[in-house]
Structure formats: C-alpha cells, structure tokens
Amino acid sequence: MTQQQWESICDGCGKCCLHSFIDSDEEDDDFESTDFLREGEELIYTSLVCQYIDEETCGCTRYEQRQELVPSCVKLTKENLKDIFFMPQSCSYRRLYEGRGLASWHPLLNDGDKSKMHDMGISAKGRITKDNTVDIEEDFEHYVAQWPTYDCD
C-alpha cells in the first residue's frame, strides 16, 4: 500500500483532533501511559479541538507540520495501529483494524464527498471549540461530549 492509499483510508472526520483524557477510579501519582485502558479507566472525549482544524472540512490546515506544531498529534501507521484504543469507534483505521470495513458514509465510497459523513453526524463539523480560545485546564468539564463515540453501520 502506498502512502497515498494509506492516507485515503482516513475519513477526515476530525475526531482524532479532539482533546480526550482518561478518567480513572485510582488516585495514582505514579501514572504511566499505556496503549490500552486499564480496569477502572474510561476514555472521555471533549468537543475541544486542535487550533489547526478547518471547522468546515474537518481537515488539518497545517497537516505537513502538524507533529512539529502539536507534538502530541498522533501519526497513525500500520505499525502502531494496534495501539489506537483512544481513537473513536467510527475511525476508519480502527474499523478496518477491527474487521468492520469502511462505513457507507466514508468519502471513498461516495466519490470523495464528505457530505454523507457530515449529514449522518459522524464528523466534528459544527460541534467543536478550538483549544486556543478557552482555558482548557479551568473549563474542560464544560466541553465533555458524548457525540464523538457515535458510529453507525
């Protein structure tokens, strides 16, 4: 698979640009990052999103520089695909990894058009607040969101 083919799997929903965090039952000062959720942990999504997202297309406006500008921005590869527990259920890479195939709304199945994805409520379009416009540490609880967990077909 070429890099261009790999990149075309991305549906461009923008959900991977959302801030998320792990809520834990444990009060542990020795927290270690893992590639899975431990018992008692829950992945919480917010509607806060990277400042570089295009709010209409849900694409990154600085895609080639994204990892320099935002060091925590994850670059999905075939090698790290097994570690994507933090990606939303609707993520096309996750769907393929889990054997669920591309969804009917995926742009590849709709002549490159994202309209169906937006219309079905899969994308971040119209639901986001850029992280550079709020005090994340003070106000993040106001932005906790359930919609990023939505998936269909």
Side-chain angles (χ1 to χ4, degrees):
M1 184 180 295
T2 68
Q3 186 62 31
Q4 183 179 4
Q5 290 168 326
W6 175 256
E7 296 269 335
S8 72
I9 293 171
C10 177
D11 51 55
C13 71
K15 288 182 183 177
C16 61
C17 301
L18 295 170
H19 290 277
S20 61
F21 62 94
I22 295 175
D23 188 24
S24 177
D25 293 340
E26 300 288 320
E27 291 292 327
D28 190 358
D29 292 335
D30 297 327
F31 178 80
E32 283 188 43
S33 182
T34 65
D35 56 1
F36 60 91
L37 288 174
R38 293 177 273 232
E39 188 173 331
E41 293 181 336
E42 178 184 8
L43 184 61
I44 306 291
Y45 291 98
T46 72
S47 59
L48 295 170
V49 69
C50 174
Q51 65 181 311
Y52 298 110
I53 197 169
D54 179 311
E55 295 177 73
E56 278 299 305
T57 67
C58 298
C60 182
T61 61
R62 304 289 298 274
Y63 189 75
E64 295 303 320
Q65 300 88 27
R66 71 191 187 283
Q67 292 184 290
E68 296 164 30
L69 296 168
V70 183
S72 62
C73 183
V74 175
K75 180 178 181 176
L76 291 179
T77 66
K78 293 170 225 155
E79 292 73 37
N80 69 5
L81 204 52
K82 65 181 177 17
D83 304 327
I84 62 169
F85 76 92
F86 57 89
M87 296 297 280
Q89 294 290 320
S90 62
C91 171
S92 295
Y93 291 105
R94 182 173 181 165
R95 290 179 61 98
L96 290 176
Y97 180 76
E98 294 174 351
R100 295 187 288 140
L102 294 179
S104 64
W105 46 262
H106 194 286
L108 279 178
L109 303 178
N110 292 280
D111 297 320
D113 189 0
K114 290 184 174 185
S115 299
K116 191 170 183 181
M117 176 181 62
H118 295 313
D119 293 345
M120 292 184 77
I122 298 296
S123 76
K125 185 177 180 178
R127 304 173 179 203
I128 53 178
T129 302
K130 290 190 176 186
D131 60 7
N132 63 340
T133 65
V134 298
D135 183 345
I136 294 176
E137 292 190 23
E138 278 293 312
D139 297 328
F140 79 89
E141 70 272 0
H142 299 295
Y143 296 95
V144 170
Q146 292 298 315
W147 61 263
T149 64
Y150 176 68
D151 191 11
C152 60
D153 77 35

